[in-house]
Amino acid sequence: MLRVVVLGAAAGGGIPQWNCGCPVCTKARSETPELQSSQASIAVSADGAHWFLINASPDLRQQLIATPQLHPKRGELRHSPVAGVILTNGEIDAIAGLLSMREGSPFTIYAHQRVLAILKSNSVFDVLSEKNVARRPITVDRAFEPALPDGSPSGLEVLPFEVPGKGAWYLEGKAHPAGNDGAGDTLGLRIAEKASGKYFYFLAACARVTDDLKSRLAGAPLVFFDGTVWRDDELIAAGLGNKTGQGMGHISMSGGHGAIESLAGLDIRRKLFLHINNSNPALLKDSPERQAAERAGWQIPADGMEIEL
Ligand SMILES: [Zn+2]
């Protein structure tokens, strides 16, 4: 059985974001605490005992506490069911949680060499000694089976593929430690259980839906997809910032080229938005935007949601 737990569903900053007084963040602090959401990450397992994190968010410590499947085994002095972390990009909200995993447990980091180059160029990540924490490069369009810390197979098969996106914000206008050609900065993943062939897709960042992406996702049983903004200019319109969704490498939910319309009619059985920014009105249960998303067959998951395939 392929098991998935949504550790966090929010975009960078989470909900509420520490310095934000927008309607969603204000409600999340007061009358609607169920709006609170940690930064996007999921955990996946083929055997229910060993888990792989897809991205390590800055909220990882709290996410691990909130998820019984990821607690140390009873009776063991040092143990974690977390066998590895698979990174899909080098943004802060995907990598900063690695720094909360520095207490000497063995696990493996899988990432594109562009993201590994970012980790290598930042000495703060050396707290994860390569003796305990191996760093394995993953290659676009080449499936791999992540391994357990003792080297045995996990029963999962992960296929990374390139999706339209942007490099990490903090490198904008700077030299990328792996060079500036950009390929490999943003990955989607197809994650399968080898024994049953069951699978799903994970895309926490995606700037637009290409024909290639449509043909990949067609007929999929489950897709987690970039739900950062409802409309491209919502941060500017709300006075929250000067970036557009596209400027951040994120597609909108709505609109002619948005995710809802672009992924309609592809026979995807279950569609969940992930990486949802606190500016996005679809977070509010009674909003017309939420109703439109739900009418189109999309779900906005709560942290802790479990899915079995
Ligand atoms: Zn806000």
Side-chain angles (χ1 to χ4, degrees):
M1 188 184 289
L2 191 53
R3 296 169 170 88
V4 184
V5 180
V6 176
L7 302 180
I15 304 161
Q17 182 180 304
W18 72 286
N19 61 346
C20 191
C22 80
V24 171
C25 290
T26 303
K27 277 198 166 74
R29 279 188 204 96
S30 52
E31 77 256 40
T32 322
E34 60 271 22
L35 276 172
Q36 293 184 12
S37 182
S38 62
Q39 294 165 82
S41 174
I42 65 169
V44 58
S45 175
D47 63 7
H50 305 90
W51 292 80
F52 289 83
L53 309 180
I54 312 303
N55 295 331
S57 98
D59 298 318
L60 180 61
R61 178 181 168 277
Q62 202 55 42
Q63 292 169 340
L64 294 178
I65 293 170
T67 309
Q69 295 94 323
L70 303 179
H71 292 176
K73 221 188 266 173
R74 248 173 222 281
E76 301 233 6
L77 202 50
R78 288 284 194 190
H79 171 263
S80 172
V82 178
V85 182
I86 302 167
L87 302 174
T88 63
N89 63 71
E91 293 285 7
I92 297 295
D93 60 345
I95 64 173
L98 291 171
L99 299 174
S100 298
M101 300 176 75
R102 63 189 183 280
E103 282 81 16
S105 277
F107 68 98
T108 305
I109 299 169
Y110 297 89
H112 191 278
Q113 56 92 9
R114 291 183 64 78
V115 174
L116 291 182
I118 291 172
L119 301 184
K120 197 175 170 70
S121 70
N122 284 276
S123 54
V124 67
F125 289 101
D126 293 343
V127 293
L128 300 169
S129 99
E130 303 225 17
K131 190 163 69 77
N132 283 326
V133 183
R135 302 178 186 186
R136 301 256 180 270
I138 61 178
T139 306
V140 165
D141 293 325
R142 192 176 300 164
F144 67 98
E145 179 169 10
L148 305 185
D150 67 1
S152 59
S154 62
L156 295 169
E157 184 179 79
V158 180
L159 176 68
F161 55 92
E162 176 86 34
V163 292
K166 288 203 80 178
W169 255 19
Y170 54 85
L171 286 172
E172 223 165 70
K174 297 189 181 136
H176 193 293
N180 276 341
D181 78 335
D185 276 328
T186 307
L187 300 181
L189 302 176
R190 181 189 191 276
I191 301 175
E193 181 190 25
K194 289 183 89 171
S196 65
K198 289 179 174 165
Y199 70 97
F200 68 94
Y201 280 93
F202 177 93
L203 296 96
C206 180
R208 66 184 179 279
V209 175
T210 60
D211 287 342
D212 169 68
L213 185 55
K214 280 187 191 177
S215 58
R216 282 183 197 274
L217 301 186
L222 171 66
V223 171
F224 290 98
F225 200 79
D226 184 345
T228 308
V229 290
W230 176 257
R231 48 176 258 205
D232 193 52
D233 65 348
E234 76 189 27
L235 281 161
I236 298 168
L240 293 171
N242 56 8
K243 295 255 186 192
T244 60
Q246 283 295 307
M248 301 183 291
H250 295 289
I251 195 172
S252 313
M253 289 184 179
S254 68
H257 299 285
I260 292 175
E261 198 153 317
S262 301
L263 298 178
L266 292 182
D267 193 28
I268 301 169
R269 211 170 309 144
R270 193 165 179 191
K271 297 179 281 194
L272 289 100
F273 280 121
L274 202 72
H275 196 273
I276 306 161
N277 197 54
N278 54 72
S279 58
N280 190 327
L283 286 164
L284 298 170
K285 276 206 170 82
D286 50 359
S287 67
E289 292 85 358
R290 173 64 157 264
Q291 287 161 13
E294 289 182 348
R295 266 199 310 277
W298 286 85
Q299 278 179 282
I300 310 276
D303 290 12
M305 175 191 269
E306 291 178 54
I307 299 172
E308 291 178 349
L309 287 174

